[in-house]
Amino acid sequence: MLQFMLLFSRQGKLRLQKWYVPYQDKLKKKVTRELISTVLGRKPKMCNFLEWRDLKVVYKRYAKFHFCCAIEDTDNELLTLEIIHRYVELLDKYFGSVCELDIIFNFEKAYFMLDELLIGGEIQETSKKNVLKAIQAQDLLQETSDHPNSTITI
């Protein structure tokens, strides 16, 4: 089970965080700071898995982002890499070559996609098509709620 997922830039700016187990805010900040500096300090050719405290950390760099997940000691690292890759594919498909500004200005969409993909740290939906359909339905719902009186009167 995923413990948490972090998305941060090459400069170490945290752009997205999702915690699936309860941590105190002070500990979250410490963990985030520690993992960002650890992952950014690693060389590009190094392994994408590392043991950290009593967890395994799986990370992957895509363009300017680092996606970092902490999993339990008994979980499969390759499956976690596949989850990260699936999430990146969803972001790319929705935003069309996702960039940092997409995440900054549309963070609620990024969180919604993550919530459609994962629930409670476990994979919920494996189909990209189904996740994108849910997101498009949410977009349509949001558009209609933004313009409730969009009927034309003569």
Side-chain angles (χ1 to χ4, degrees):
M1 178 178 110
L2 261 70
Q3 304 290 306
F4 56 85
M5 178 183 261
L6 305 173
L7 169 59
F8 50 92
S9 68
R10 284 189 292 186
Q11 291 78 27
K13 300 273 189 193
L14 185 64
R15 297 299 180 203
L16 182 132
Q17 60 180 330
K18 185 71 174 186
W19 300 82
Y20 296 106
V21 292
Y23 282 83
Q24 294 179 350
D25 286 342
K26 191 175 182 180
L27 185 57
K28 282 182 185 181
K29 288 178 183 174
K30 182 181 178 193
V31 164
T32 301
R33 211 174 24 251
E34 194 175 316
L35 273 178
I36 288 174
S37 64
T38 301
V39 169
L40 289 177
R42 292 173 64 90
K43 292 184 173 61
K45 297 283 184 187
M46 293 178 86
C47 181
N48 289 351
F49 315 132
L50 59 104
E51 291 183 9
W52 180 78
R53 298 186 183 179
D54 59 340
L55 300 171
K56 290 182 199 171
V57 174
V58 179
Y59 69 92
K60 182 76 174 147
R61 181 176 165 212
Y62 286 96
K64 295 185 178 190
F65 292 119
H66 283 86
F67 292 80
C68 180
C69 295
I71 57 174
E72 294 172 352
D73 205 27
T74 57
D75 286 339
N76 187 338
E77 301 94 343
L78 295 176
L79 181 62
T80 307
L81 268 179
E82 189 62 34
I83 290 170
I84 291 171
H85 186 70
R86 179 61 46 104
Y87 185 52
V88 170
E89 287 178 331
L90 286 168
L91 290 171
D92 271 344
K93 206 142 191 133
Y94 183 78
F95 292 114
S97 187
V98 67
C99 69
E100 196 166 357
L101 291 176
D102 291 327
I103 301 295
I104 292 170
F105 292 117
N106 298 299
F107 65 91
E108 71 282 349
K109 299 289 183 199
Y111 276 113
F112 186 74
M113 271 186 242
L114 190 57
D115 289 341
E116 284 294 316
L117 183 65
L118 299 168
I119 284 192
E122 299 286 344
I123 191 91
Q124 172 193 327
E125 181 60 66
T126 56
S127 168
K128 287 185 284 188
K129 194 184 298 183
N130 288 347
V131 172
L132 289 170
K133 277 183 192 175
I135 293 163
Q136 289 168 349
Q138 183 68 26
D139 286 346
L140 187 61
L141 184 64
Q142 187 176 3
E143 282 179 27
T144 58
S145 69
D146 288 346
H147 308 290
N149 298 330
S150 60
T151 58
I152 300 173
T153 57
I154 300 177

CSV table of all heavy atoms in Angstrom, one decimal, residues 25-59:
chain,number,residue,atom,x,y,z
A,25,ASP,N,1.4,17.2,11.0
A,25,ASP,CA,1.8,18.2,10.0
A,25,ASP,C,3.3,18.4,10.1
A,25,ASP,O,4.0,18.5,9.1
A,25,ASP,CB,1.1,19.5,10.2
A,25,ASP,CG,-0.3,19.4,9.6
A,25,ASP,OD1,-0.6,18.5,8.8
A,25,ASP,OD2,-1.2,20.3,10.0
A,26,LYS,N,3.8,18.5,11.4
A,26,LYS,CA,5.2,18.7,11.6
A,26,LYS,C,6.1,17.6,11.0
A,26,LYS,O,7.1,17.8,10.3
A,26,LYS,CB,5.5,18.8,13.1
A,26,LYS,CG,6.9,19.3,13.4
A,26,LYS,CD,7.0,19.6,14.9
A,26,LYS,CE,8.3,20.1,15.3
A,26,LYS,NZ,8.5,20.3,16.7
A,27,LEU,N,5.6,16.3,11.2
A,27,LEU,CA,6.3,15.2,10.6
A,27,LEU,C,6.2,15.1,9.1
A,27,LEU,O,7.2,14.8,8.4
A,27,LEU,CB,5.8,13.9,11.2
A,27,LEU,CG,6.5,12.6,10.8
A,27,LEU,CD1,8.0,12.6,11.2
A,27,LEU,CD2,5.8,11.4,11.5
A,28,LYS,N,5.1,15.5,8.5
A,28,LYS,CA,4.9,15.6,7.1
A,28,LYS,C,5.9,16.5,6.5
A,28,LYS,O,6.6,16.2,5.5
A,28,LYS,CB,3.5,16.1,6.7
A,28,LYS,CG,2.4,15.1,6.8
A,28,LYS,CD,1.1,15.7,6.4
A,28,LYS,CE,0.0,14.8,6.6
A,28,LYS,NZ,-1.3,15.4,6.1
A,29,LYS,N,6.1,17.7,7.1
A,29,LYS,CA,7.1,18.7,6.6
A,29,LYS,C,8.5,18.1,6.6
A,29,LYS,O,9.3,18.3,5.7
A,29,LYS,CB,7.0,20.0,7.3
A,29,LYS,CG,5.7,20.8,7.0
A,29,LYS,CD,5.6,22.0,7.8
A,29,LYS,CE,4.3,22.7,7.5
A,29,LYS,NZ,4.0,23.8,8.3
A,30,LYS,N,8.8,17.5,7.7
A,30,LYS,CA,10.1,16.9,7.9
A,30,LYS,C,10.4,15.8,6.9
A,30,LYS,O,11.5,15.8,6.3
A,30,LYS,CB,10.3,16.4,9.3
A,30,LYS,CG,11.7,15.8,9.6
A,30,LYS,CD,11.8,15.3,11.0
A,30,LYS,CE,13.2,14.7,11.2
A,30,LYS,NZ,13.2,13.9,12.4
A,31,VAL,N,9.4,14.9,6.7
A,31,VAL,CA,9.5,13.8,5.8
A,31,VAL,C,9.7,14.4,4.4
A,31,VAL,O,10.6,13.9,3.6
A,31,VAL,CB,8.3,12.9,5.9
A,31,VAL,CG1,8.2,12.0,4.7
A,31,VAL,CG2,8.4,12.1,7.2
A,32,THR,N,8.9,15.3,4.0
A,32,THR,CA,8.9,15.9,2.7
A,32,THR,C,10.3,16.6,2.4
A,32,THR,O,10.9,16.3,1.4
A,32,THR,CB,7.8,17.0,2.5
A,32,THR,OG1,6.5,16.4,2.8
A,32,THR,CG2,7.8,17.6,1.2
A,33,ARG,N,10.7,17.4,3.4
A,33,ARG,CA,12.0,18.0,3.2
A,33,ARG,C,13.2,17.0,3.0
A,33,ARG,O,14.0,17.1,2.2
A,33,ARG,CB,12.3,18.9,4.4
A,33,ARG,CG,13.1,20.1,4.2
A,33,ARG,CD,13.2,21.1,5.4
A,33,ARG,NE,13.0,20.5,6.7
A,33,ARG,CZ,11.9,20.8,7.5
A,33,ARG,NH1,10.9,21.5,7.0
A,33,ARG,NH2,11.8,20.2,8.6
A,34,GLU,N,13.1,16.0,3.9
A,34,GLU,CA,14.2,15.0,3.9
A,34,GLU,C,14.2,14.2,2.6
A,34,GLU,O,15.2,13.9,2.0
A,34,GLU,CB,14.0,14.0,5.1
A,34,GLU,CG,15.1,13.1,5.4
A,34,GLU,CD,14.9,12.3,6.6
A,34,GLU,OE1,14.4,12.9,7.6
A,34,GLU,OE2,15.1,11.1,6.6
A,35,LEU,N,13.0,13.8,2.1
A,35,LEU,CA,12.9,13.0,0.9
A,35,LEU,C,13.3,13.8,-0.4
A,35,LEU,O,13.9,13.3,-1.3
A,35,LEU,CB,11.5,12.4,0.7
A,35,LEU,CG,11.3,11.0,1.4
A,35,LEU,CD1,9.9,10.5,1.2
A,35,LEU,CD2,12.3,10.0,0.9
A,36,ILE,N,12.8,15.0,-0.4
A,36,ILE,CA,13.2,15.9,-1.6
A,36,ILE,C,14.7,16.0,-1.7
A,36,ILE,O,15.3,15.9,-2.7
A,36,ILE,CB,12.4,17.2,-1.5
A,36,ILE,CG1,10.9,17.0,-1.8
A,36,ILE,CG2,13.0,18.2,-2.5
A,36,ILE,CD1,10.1,18.3,-1.6
A,37,SER,N,15.3,16.3,-0.6
A,37,SER,CA,16.8,16.5,-0.6
A,37,SER,C,17.5,15.2,-0.9
A,37,SER,O,18.5,15.2,-1.7
A,37,SER,CB,17.3,17.1,0.7
A,37,SER,OG,17.1,16.2,1.8
A,38,THR,N,17.0,14.1,-0.4
A,38,THR,CA,17.6,12.8,-0.7
A,38,THR,C,17.4,12.4,-2.2
A,38,THR,O,18.4,12.0,-2.9
A,38,THR,CB,16.9,11.7,0.1
A,38,THR,OG1,17.1,12.0,1.5
A,38,THR,CG2,17.5,10.3,-0.2
A,39,VAL,N,16.3,12.6,-2.8
A,39,VAL,CA,16.0,12.2,-4.2
A,39,VAL,C,16.8,13.1,-5.1
A,39,VAL,O,17.4,12.7,-6.1
A,39,VAL,CB,14.5,12.2,-4.5
A,39,VAL,CG1,14.2,12.0,-5.9
A,39,VAL,CG2,13.8,11.0,-3.7
A,40,LEU,N,16.7,14.4,-4.8
A,40,LEU,CA,17.4,15.4,-5.7
A,40,LEU,C,18.9,15.2,-5.6
A,40,LEU,O,19.6,15.5,-6.6
A,40,LEU,CB,17.0,16.8,-5.3
A,40,LEU,CG,15.6,17.2,-5.7
A,40,LEU,CD1,15.3,18.6,-5.2
A,40,LEU,CD2,15.3,17.1,-7.2
A,41,GLY,N,19.4,14.7,-4.6
A,41,GLY,CA,20.9,14.5,-4.4
A,41,GLY,C,21.4,13.2,-5.1
A,41,GLY,O,22.6,13.1,-5.2
A,42,ARG,N,20.5,12.4,-5.6
A,42,ARG,CA,20.9,11.2,-6.2
A,42,ARG,C,21.3,11.4,-7.7
A,42,ARG,O,20.7,12.2,-8.4
A,42,ARG,CB,19.9,10.1,-6.1
A,42,ARG,CG,19.7,9.6,-4.7
A,42,ARG,CD,18.5,8.7,-4.5
A,42,ARG,NE,18.7,7.5,-5.2
A,42,ARG,CZ,19.2,6.3,-4.7
A,42,ARG,NH1,19.7,6.4,-3.5
A,42,ARG,NH2,19.2,5.2,-5.4
A,43,LYS,N,22.2,10.7,-8.2
A,43,LYS,CA,22.7,10.8,-9.6
A,43,LYS,C,21.6,10.2,-10.5
A,43,LYS,O,20.9,9.2,-10.1
A,43,LYS,CB,24.0,10.1,-9.8
A,43,LYS,CG,25.1,10.9,-9.1
A,43,LYS,CD,26.5,10.2,-9.3
A,43,LYS,CE,27.6,11.0,-8.8
A,43,LYS,NZ,27.6,11.2,-7.4
A,44,PRO,N,21.5,10.7,-11.7
A,44,PRO,CA,20.5,10.1,-12.7
A,44,PRO,C,20.6,8.6,-13.0
A,44,PRO,O,19.6,8.0,-13.2
A,44,PRO,CB,20.7,10.9,-14.0
A,44,PRO,CG,21.4,12.2,-13.5
A,44,PRO,CD,22.2,11.8,-12.3
A,45,LYS,N,21.8,8.1,-13.0
A,45,LYS,CA,21.9,6.7,-13.3
A,45,LYS,C,21.7,5.7,-12.1
A,45,LYS,O,21.8,4.5,-12.3
A,45,LYS,CB,23.4,6.4,-13.9
A,45,LYS,CG,23.7,7.2,-15.1
A,45,LYS,CD,23.0,6.5,-16.3
A,45,LYS,CE,23.4,7.2,-17.6
A,45,LYS,NZ,22.7,6.7,-18.7
A,46,MET,N,21.4,6.3,-11.0
A,46,MET,CA,21.2,5.4,-9.8
A,46,MET,C,19.9,4.8,-9.8
A,46,MET,O,19.0,5.3,-10.5
A,46,MET,CB,21.4,6.3,-8.5
A,46,MET,CG,22.8,6.8,-8.3
A,46,MET,SD,23.0,7.8,-6.8
A,46,MET,CE,23.2,6.5,-5.6
A,47,CYS,N,19.7,3.7,-9.0
A,47,CYS,CA,18.5,3.0,-8.9
A,47,CYS,C,17.3,3.9,-8.4
A,47,CYS,O,17.5,4.8,-7.6
A,47,CYS,CB,18.7,1.8,-8.0
A,47,CYS,SG,17.2,0.8,-7.8
A,48,ASN,N,16.1,3.7,-8.9
A,48,ASN,CA,15.0,4.5,-8.5
A,48,ASN,C,14.3,4.0,-7.3
A,48,ASN,O,13.2,4.5,-6.9
A,48,ASN,CB,13.9,4.4,-9.7
A,48,ASN,CG,14.3,5.2,-10.8
A,48,ASN,OD1,15.3,5.9,-10.8
A,48,ASN,ND2,13.6,5.1,-11.9
A,49,PHE,N,14.9,3.0,-6.6
A,49,PHE,CA,14.4,2.5,-5.3
A,49,PHE,C,15.4,2.8,-4.2
A,49,PHE,O,16.6,2.7,-4.4
A,49,PHE,CB,14.1,1.0,-5.4
A,49,PHE,CG,13.5,0.5,-6.6
A,49,PHE,CD1,13.9,-0.6,-7.3
A,49,PHE,CD2,12.3,1.1,-7.1
A,49,PHE,CE1,13.3,-1.0,-8.5
A,49,PHE,CE2,11.7,0.7,-8.2
A,49,PHE,CZ,12.2,-0.4,-8.9
A,50,LEU,N,14.9,3.1,-3.1
A,50,LEU,CA,15.8,3.2,-1.9
A,50,LEU,C,15.0,2.9,-0.6
A,50,LEU,O,13.8,3.0,-0.5
A,50,LEU,CB,16.4,4.6,-1.8
A,50,LEU,CG,15.6,5.9,-1.7
A,50,LEU,CD1,15.6,6.4,-0.3
A,50,LEU,CD2,16.1,6.9,-2.6
A,51,GLU,N,15.8,2.3,0.3
A,51,GLU,CA,15.2,2.0,1.6
A,51,GLU,C,15.4,3.2,2.5
A,51,GLU,O,16.4,3.8,2.6
A,51,GLU,CB,15.9,0.8,2.2
A,51,GLU,CG,15.6,-0.5,1.4
A,51,GLU,CD,16.2,-1.7,2.0
A,51,GLU,OE1,16.7,-1.6,3.2
A,51,GLU,OE2,16.1,-2.8,1.4
A,52,TRP,N,14.3,3.6,3.1
A,52,TRP,CA,14.2,4.8,3.9
A,52,TRP,C,13.4,4.6,5.1
A,52,TRP,O,12.2,4.2,5.0
A,52,TRP,CB,13.7,6.0,3.1
A,52,TRP,CG,13.6,7.3,3.8
A,52,TRP,CD1,14.6,8.1,4.0
A,52,TRP,CD2,12.4,7.9,4.3
A,52,TRP,NE1,14.1,9.2,4.7
A,52,TRP,CE2,12.8,9.1,4.9
A,52,TRP,CE3,11.1,7.5,4.4
A,52,TRP,CZ2,11.9,9.9,5.5
A,52,TRP,CZ3,10.2,8.3,5.0
A,52,TRP,CH2,10.6,9.5,5.5
A,53,ARG,N,14.0,4.7,6.3
A,53,ARG,CA,13.4,4.3,7.6
A,53,ARG,C,12.8,2.9,7.4
A,53,ARG,O,13.6,2.0,7.1
A,53,ARG,CB,12.3,5.3,7.9
A,53,ARG,CG,12.8,6.7,8.1
A,53,ARG,CD,11.8,7.7,8.6
A,53,ARG,NE,12.4,9.0,8.7
A,53,ARG,CZ,11.7,10.1,9.1
A,53,ARG,NH1,10.4,9.9,9.4
A,53,ARG,NH2,12.3,11.2,9.2
A,54,ASP,N,11.6,2.7,7.7
A,54,ASP,CA,11.0,1.3,7.6
A,54,ASP,C,10.2,1.1,6.3
A,54,ASP,O,9.4,0.2,6.2
A,54,ASP,CB,10.2,1.0,8.8
A,54,ASP,CG,9.0,1.9,9.0
A,54,ASP,OD1,9.1,3.0,8.5
A,54,ASP,OD2,8.0,1.6,9.7
A,55,LEU,N,10.4,2.1,5.3
A,55,LEU,CA,9.6,2.0,4.1
A,55,LEU,C,10.6,1.9,2.9
A,55,LEU,O,11.8,2.1,3.0
A,55,LEU,CB,8.9,3.3,3.9
A,55,LEU,CG,7.8,3.7,5.0
A,55,LEU,CD1,7.3,5.1,4.8
A,55,LEU,CD2,6.7,2.7,5.0
A,56,LYS,N,10.0,1.6,1.7
A,56,LYS,CA,10.7,1.7,0.5
A,56,LYS,C,10.3,3.0,-0.2
A,56,LYS,O,9.1,3.3,-0.2
A,56,LYS,CB,10.4,0.5,-0.4
A,56,LYS,CG,11.0,-0.8,0.1
A,56,LYS,CD,10.6,-1.9,-0.9
A,56,LYS,CE,10.7,-3.3,-0.3
A,56,LYS,NZ,10.2,-4.3,-1.2
A,57,VAL,N,11.2,3.7,-0.8
A,57,VAL,CA,10.8,4.9,-1.6
A,57,VAL,C,11.1,4.5,-3.1
A,57,VAL,O,12.2,4.0,-3.4
A,57,VAL,CB,11.7,6.1,-1.1
A,57,VAL,CG1,11.4,7.3,-2.1
A,57,VAL,CG2,11.3,6.4,0.3
A,58,VAL,N,10.1,4.8,-3.9
A,58,VAL,CA,10.2,4.6,-5.3
A,58,VAL,C,10.0,5.9,-5.9
A,58,VAL,O,9.0,6.6,-5.6
A,58,VAL,CB,9.1,3.6,-5.8
A,58,VAL,CG1,9.2,3.4,-7.3
A,58,VAL,CG2,9.2,2.3,-5.1
A,59,TYR,N,10.9,6.3,-6.8
A,59,TYR,CA,10.7,7.6,-7.4
A,59,TYR,C,11.1,7.5,-8.9
A,59,TYR,O,11.8,6.6,-9.4
A,59,TYR,CB,11.6,8.7,-6.8
A,59,TYR,CG,13.1,8.5,-7.0
A,59,TYR,CD1,13.8,9.1,-8.0
A,59,TYR,CD2,13.8,7.7,-6.1
A,59,TYR,CE1,15.1,8.9,-8.2
A,59,TYR,CE2,15.2,7.5,-6.3
A,59,TYR,CZ,15.8,8.1,-7.3
A,59,TYR,OH,17.2,7.9,-7.5
